Amino acid sequence: MEFGERLKELRTGLNISQKELSEKTGLTLRTIQRIENNEVKPSLYSVKAISDALELASSELLNTSDTKPYEFNVNLKITDMNQFLNDLKVLVKTHWKTIFLIILVIYLFTSYADIKAGIMDAWSGK
């Protein structure tokens, strides 16, 4: 059983329509339809939003009969640019401090010689 089939089974078992699931998750109705029809693989953000809306653990939602618990699909396939941009926006909002720190370290590392020369000039009074 694929993810979309599993989602549809769980959703209908809870007597929730695709429209209601769409409203609860913030995902578009078309995205829910495409996931359930196995036209696209959901992003991690989508899986979390769906599992939260259905009040299930992500592992319970991801557990399908023909996959092993240690398997993880890392394929990135951009089929819905809006969903990609939403996921990117959430990533930046939640991890902006880490991103800023990485950029700062890279800047300092690449500018080390200039920074050192400036400090040495200032120290010697030039």
mmCIF file of all heavy atoms in Angstrom, residues 7-28:
data_model
loop_
_atom_site.group_PDB
_atom_site.id
_atom_site.type_symbol
_atom_site.label_atom_id
_atom_site.label_comp_id
_atom_site.label_asym_id
_atom_site.label_seq_id
_atom_site.Cartn_x
_atom_site.Cartn_y
_atom_site.Cartn_z
ATOM 1 N N LEU A 7 -3.252 7.215 3.332
ATOM 2 C CA LEU A 7 -3.867 8.466 3.764
ATOM 3 C C LEU A 7 -5.377 8.424 3.531
ATOM 4 O O LEU A 7 -6.164 8.782 4.410
ATOM 5 C CB LEU A 7 -3.250 9.661 3.026
ATOM 6 C CG LEU A 7 -3.927 11.015 3.232
ATOM 7 C CD1 LEU A 7 -3.939 11.401 4.703
ATOM 8 C CD2 LEU A 7 -3.241 12.084 2.403
ATOM 9 N N LYS A 8 -5.776 7.995 2.348
ATOM 10 C CA LYS A 8 -7.208 7.946 2.024
ATOM 11 C C LYS A 8 -7.942 6.999 2.974
ATOM 12 O O LYS A 8 -9.037 7.313 3.465
ATOM 13 C CB LYS A 8 -7.403 7.498 0.580
ATOM 14 C CG LYS A 8 -8.844 7.550 0.136
ATOM 15 C CD LYS A 8 -8.969 7.250 -1.341
ATOM 16 C CE LYS A 8 -10.405 7.408 -1.804
ATOM 17 N NZ LYS A 8 -10.532 7.219 -3.243
ATOM 18 N N GLU A 9 -7.320 5.858 3.261
ATOM 19 C CA GLU A 9 -7.923 4.885 4.171
ATOM 20 C C GLU A 9 -8.120 5.480 5.569
ATOM 21 O O GLU A 9 -9.185 5.362 6.169
ATOM 22 C CB GLU A 9 -7.031 3.644 4.236
ATOM 23 C CG GLU A 9 -7.507 2.567 5.172
ATOM 24 C CD GLU A 9 -6.509 1.411 5.210
ATOM 25 O OE1 GLU A 9 -6.504 0.609 4.260
ATOM 26 O OE2 GLU A 9 -5.731 1.341 6.183
ATOM 27 N N LEU A 10 -7.077 6.142 6.081
ATOM 28 C CA LEU A 10 -7.160 6.746 7.409
ATOM 29 C C LEU A 10 -8.152 7.904 7.436
ATOM 30 O O LEU A 10 -8.943 8.036 8.370
ATOM 31 C CB LEU A 10 -5.779 7.229 7.859
ATOM 32 C CG LEU A 10 -4.764 6.131 8.181
ATOM 33 C CD1 LEU A 10 -3.377 6.725 8.345
ATOM 34 C CD2 LEU A 10 -5.169 5.374 9.424
ATOM 35 N N ARG A 11 -8.116 8.747 6.396
ATOM 36 C CA ARG A 11 -9.006 9.906 6.338
ATOM 37 C C ARG A 11 -10.472 9.485 6.283
ATOM 38 O O ARG A 11 -11.302 10.001 7.025
ATOM 39 C CB ARG A 11 -8.660 10.771 5.114
ATOM 40 C CG ARG A 11 -9.553 11.993 4.949
ATOM 41 C CD ARG A 11 -9.242 12.753 3.678
ATOM 42 N NE ARG A 11 -9.364 11.971 2.467
ATOM 43 C CZ ARG A 11 -10.521 11.614 1.900
ATOM 44 N NH1 ARG A 11 -11.673 11.967 2.444
ATOM 45 N NH2 ARG A 11 -10.531 10.908 0.781
ATOM 46 N N THR A 12 -10.784 8.527 5.417
ATOM 47 C CA THR A 12 -12.174 8.076 5.310
ATOM 48 C C THR A 12 -12.605 7.327 6.568
ATOM 49 O O THR A 12 -13.766 7.396 6.957
ATOM 50 C CB THR A 12 -12.384 7.191 4.066
ATOM 51 O OG1 THR A 12 -11.461 6.111 4.081
ATOM 52 C CG2 THR A 12 -12.212 8.007 2.793
ATOM 53 N N GLY A 13 -11.672 6.627 7.206
ATOM 54 C CA GLY A 13 -11.980 5.941 8.457
ATOM 55 C C GLY A 13 -12.345 6.910 9.562
ATOM 56 O O GLY A 13 -13.138 6.593 10.449
ATOM 57 N N LEU A 14 -11.781 8.109 9.506
ATOM 58 C CA LEU A 14 -12.090 9.149 10.495
ATOM 59 C C LEU A 14 -13.262 10.023 10.035
ATOM 60 O O LEU A 14 -13.606 11.002 10.700
ATOM 61 C CB LEU A 14 -10.853 10.021 10.746
ATOM 62 C CG LEU A 14 -9.676 9.314 11.413
ATOM 63 C CD1 LEU A 14 -8.435 10.194 11.377
ATOM 64 C CD2 LEU A 14 -10.024 8.945 12.840
ATOM 65 N N ASN A 15 -13.832 9.693 8.868
ATOM 66 C CA ASN A 15 -14.989 10.401 8.310
ATOM 67 C C ASN A 15 -14.676 11.885 8.094
ATOM 68 O O ASN A 15 -15.449 12.772 8.467
ATOM 69 C CB ASN A 15 -16.223 10.228 9.201
ATOM 70 C CG ASN A 15 -17.502 10.515 8.441
ATOM 71 O OD1 ASN A 15 -17.530 10.396 7.211
ATOM 72 N ND2 ASN A 15 -18.541 10.897 9.151
ATOM 73 N N ILE A 16 -13.494 12.145 7.487
ATOM 74 C CA ILE A 16 -13.058 13.507 7.176
ATOM 75 C C ILE A 16 -12.981 13.629 5.661
ATOM 76 O O ILE A 16 -12.386 12.773 5.000
ATOM 77 C CB ILE A 16 -11.684 13.815 7.810
ATOM 78 C CG1 ILE A 16 -11.765 13.743 9.333
ATOM 79 C CG2 ILE A 16 -11.162 15.167 7.372
ATOM 80 C CD1 ILE A 16 -10.427 13.899 10.034
ATOM 81 N N SER A 17 -13.553 14.681 5.104
ATOM 82 C CA SER A 17 -13.497 14.893 3.656
ATOM 83 C C SER A 17 -12.144 15.482 3.271
ATOM 84 O O SER A 17 -11.399 15.988 4.120
ATOM 85 C CB SER A 17 -14.611 15.833 3.209
ATOM 86 O OG SER A 17 -14.361 17.146 3.670
ATOM 87 N N GLN A 18 -11.828 15.421 1.987
ATOM 88 C CA GLN A 18 -10.580 16.018 1.507
ATOM 89 C C GLN A 18 -10.589 17.522 1.761
ATOM 90 O O GLN A 18 -9.566 18.092 2.130
ATOM 91 C CB GLN A 18 -10.400 15.742 0.009
ATOM 92 C CG GLN A 18 -10.057 14.319 -0.318
ATOM 93 C CD GLN A 18 -9.892 14.104 -1.820
ATOM 94 O OE1 GLN A 18 -10.466 14.817 -2.632
ATOM 95 N NE2 GLN A 18 -9.110 13.096 -2.171
ATOM 96 N N LYS A 19 -11.730 18.151 1.590
ATOM 97 C CA LYS A 19 -11.841 19.596 1.826
ATOM 98 C C LYS A 19 -11.575 19.929 3.291
ATOM 99 O O LYS A 19 -10.844 20.882 3.592
ATOM 100 C CB LYS A 19 -13.227 20.079 1.414
ATOM 101 C CG LYS A 19 -13.403 21.587 1.505
ATOM 102 C CD LYS A 19 -14.734 21.996 0.910
ATOM 103 C CE LYS A 19 -15.061 23.443 0.880
ATOM 104 N NZ LYS A 19 -14.249 24.436 1.344
ATOM 105 N N GLU A 20 -12.128 19.143 4.208
ATOM 106 C CA GLU A 20 -11.887 19.379 5.637
ATOM 107 C C GLU A 20 -10.411 19.188 5.976
ATOM 108 O O GLU A 20 -9.829 19.970 6.734
ATOM 109 C CB GLU A 20 -12.733 18.425 6.483
ATOM 110 C CG GLU A 20 -14.220 18.713 6.455
ATOM 111 C CD GLU A 20 -15.041 17.631 7.136
ATOM 112 O OE1 GLU A 20 -14.669 16.437 7.059
ATOM 113 O OE2 GLU A 20 -16.056 17.994 7.745
ATOM 114 N N LEU A 21 -9.800 18.148 5.396
ATOM 115 C CA LEU A 21 -8.379 17.902 5.633
ATOM 116 C C LEU A 21 -7.549 19.056 5.085
ATOM 117 O O LEU A 21 -6.592 19.507 5.722
ATOM 118 C CB LEU A 21 -7.943 16.578 5.011
ATOM 119 C CG LEU A 21 -6.491 16.172 5.234
ATOM 120 C CD1 LEU A 21 -6.190 16.037 6.722
ATOM 121 C CD2 LEU A 21 -6.179 14.867 4.514
ATOM 122 N N SER A 22 -7.944 19.558 3.929
ATOM 123 C CA SER A 22 -7.256 20.694 3.325
ATOM 124 C C SER A 22 -7.311 21.910 4.251
ATOM 125 O O SER A 22 -6.306 22.591 4.460
ATOM 126 C CB SER A 22 -7.893 21.024 1.978
ATOM 127 O OG SER A 22 -7.405 22.237 1.478
ATOM 128 N N GLU A 23 -8.476 22.173 4.803
ATOM 129 C CA GLU A 23 -8.642 23.322 5.697
ATOM 130 C C GLU A 23 -7.849 23.146 6.991
ATOM 131 O O GLU A 23 -7.276 24.108 7.510
ATOM 132 C CB GLU A 23 -10.122 23.530 6.012
ATOM 133 C CG GLU A 23 -10.924 24.005 4.815
ATOM 134 C CD GLU A 23 -12.428 23.943 5.020
ATOM 135 O OE1 GLU A 23 -12.884 23.446 6.080
ATOM 136 O OE2 GLU A 23 -13.160 24.386 4.109
ATOM 137 N N LYS A 24 -7.801 21.926 7.517
ATOM 138 C CA LYS A 24 -7.077 21.670 8.765
ATOM 139 C C LYS A 24 -5.565 21.771 8.585
ATOM 140 O O LYS A 24 -4.850 22.153 9.508
ATOM 141 C CB LYS A 24 -7.421 20.285 9.313
ATOM 142 C CG LYS A 24 -8.780 20.193 9.938
ATOM 143 C CD LYS A 24 -8.979 18.800 10.524
ATOM 144 C CE LYS A 24 -10.272 18.686 11.280
ATOM 145 N NZ LYS A 24 -10.411 17.388 11.948
ATOM 146 N N THR A 25 -5.068 21.371 7.403
ATOM 147 C CA THR A 25 -3.629 21.328 7.181
ATOM 148 C C THR A 25 -3.055 22.597 6.591
ATOM 149 O O THR A 25 -1.868 22.864 6.731
ATOM 150 C CB THR A 25 -3.259 20.171 6.230
ATOM 151 O OG1 THR A 25 -3.920 20.380 4.978
ATOM 152 C CG2 THR A 25 -3.624 18.833 6.811
ATOM 153 N N GLY A 26 -3.904 23.372 5.891
ATOM 154 C CA GLY A 26 -3.395 24.541 5.181
ATOM 155 C C GLY A 26 -2.859 24.188 3.805
ATOM 156 O O GLY A 26 -2.363 25.048 3.089
ATOM 157 N N LEU A 27 -2.949 22.912 3.431
ATOM 158 C CA LEU A 27 -2.547 22.482 2.089
ATOM 159 C C LEU A 27 -3.735 22.685 1.156
ATOM 160 O O LEU A 27 -4.886 22.675 1.589
ATOM 161 C CB LEU A 27 -2.149 21.004 2.092
ATOM 162 C CG LEU A 27 -1.011 20.611 3.036
ATOM 163 C CD1 LEU A 27 -0.844 19.101 3.057
ATOM 164 C CD2 LEU A 27 0.281 21.275 2.629
ATOM 165 N N THR A 28 -3.463 22.857 -0.118
ATOM 166 C CA THR A 28 -4.564 23.042 -1.055
ATOM 167 C C THR A 28 -5.313 21.733 -1.249
ATOM 168 O O THR A 28 -4.755 20.640 -1.057
ATOM 169 C CB THR A 28 -4.058 23.531 -2.425
ATOM 170 O OG1 THR A 28 -3.231 22.512 -3.006
ATOM 171 C CG2 THR A 28 -3.287 24.841 -2.293
#
